[in-house]
Amino acid sequence: PLGIFVILSLIFAVTGYLAGSLYLTNPLLSLAVAGGGGCLPFKWVVMRKNKRMADFERQLPEALELVGRALRAGHTFTSGMGMVVSEFADPIRVEFQKTLEEINFGMGVTTALDNLMDRVDCPDLNFFVVSVKIQNESGGNLAEIIGNISALIRERFKLKGRIQVLSAEGRMAAWVLCLLPFGVAAAIYASNPGYIG
């Protein structure tokens, strides 16, 4: 709940300020430590969200491929989504299950897919939702469209991995250069605090 989250932020902030007051002479540094401690729960939530979205993106191409195969075998679109719910793990299972329940309770397919797009911050999912909406309005081979989207997402993942490999050395050098002044300042402060002052 939100209340526990806010209380945790306050506890971390107060603990950081007290720890900073014990070990640091500058009150501004103690306030900075308190601010960093108060931000820890927010950072944790952001990390959890990013991990969940990364897992969803990783599962999406296979899920779309399964929906496409189900359509080619003669099943309906909702049956294909049901197969994804039964075959896949979280987080894609939970999100597709919510969408399927909304459709079964009488909500339109396009509205339910819009809700899915609002819940999940995934650009690749937008391609899928927009394609299904266009196909509902103008017709076409939905199985082929979904298969093409799945292949496109896979190729994008390959390209992204290649970029990360090629830029790894440059990113590491950037981190070293960004952290070097702070590391040198900390080393000088530990050995000769008067010089920093």
Side-chain angles (χ1 to χ4, degrees):
L2 182 61
I4 295 175
F5 183 74
V6 172
I7 289 171
L8 273 177
S9 297
L10 292 173
I11 289 172
F12 280 122
V14 171
T15 306
Y17 182 77
L18 293 176
S21 300
L22 287 175
Y23 296 105
L24 301 171
T25 56
N26 192 337
L28 291 177
L29 290 177
S30 299
L31 286 174
V33 173
C39 290
L40 284 178
F42 294 95
K43 179 66 175 172
W44 181 78
V45 168
V46 170
M47 288 172 59
R48 293 281 296 174
K49 179 197 171 190
N50 291 340
K51 184 183 182 305
R52 182 178 170 83
M53 290 303 102
D55 291 341
F56 188 94
E57 285 184 343
R58 181 177 46 80
Q59 292 175 314
L60 186 60
E62 294 177 13
L64 294 183
E65 197 172 313
L66 179 59
V67 173
R69 284 201 304 266
L71 289 171
R72 280 191 287 272
H75 295 282
T76 62
F77 176 72
T78 53
S79 298
M81 292 191 70
M83 290 180 186
V84 172
V85 171
S86 61
E87 295 291 331
F88 282 78
D90 292 343
I92 203 166
R93 180 182 66 83
V94 173
E95 298 300 338
F96 272 51
Q97 187 172 16
K98 287 179 184 176
T99 304
L100 199 57
E101 288 172 356
E102 290 177 349
I103 294 171
N104 291 336
F105 288 142
M107 187 178 288
V109 175
T110 56
T111 307
L113 289 175
D114 283 336
N115 293 340
L116 173 65
M117 198 164 56
D118 291 337
R119 287 195 308 269
V120 180
D121 183 19
C122 176
D124 293 329
L125 181 67
N126 297 350
F127 297 138
F128 166 64
V129 172
V130 170
S131 300
V132 172
K133 289 167 71 175
I134 291 173
Q135 193 272 342
N136 277 344
E137 293 175 3
S138 61
N141 189 347
L142 185 58
E144 183 180 351
I145 293 170
I146 292 176
N148 291 338
I149 292 172
S150 175
L152 177 69
I153 295 172
R154 287 181 190 278
E155 290 300 318
R156 195 179 70 79
F157 272 124
K158 287 180 186 177
L159 180 62
K160 187 177 179 182
R162 199 173 302 149
I163 290 171
Q164 286 182 339
V165 169
L166 294 174
S167 63
E169 184 179 347
R171 283 185 285 118
M172 181 60 70
W175 274 108
V176 170
L177 290 173
C178 288
L179 296 176
L180 189 61
F182 301 103
V184 171
I188 294 173
Y189 184 80
S191 61
N192 190 359
Y195 182 75
I196 289 288

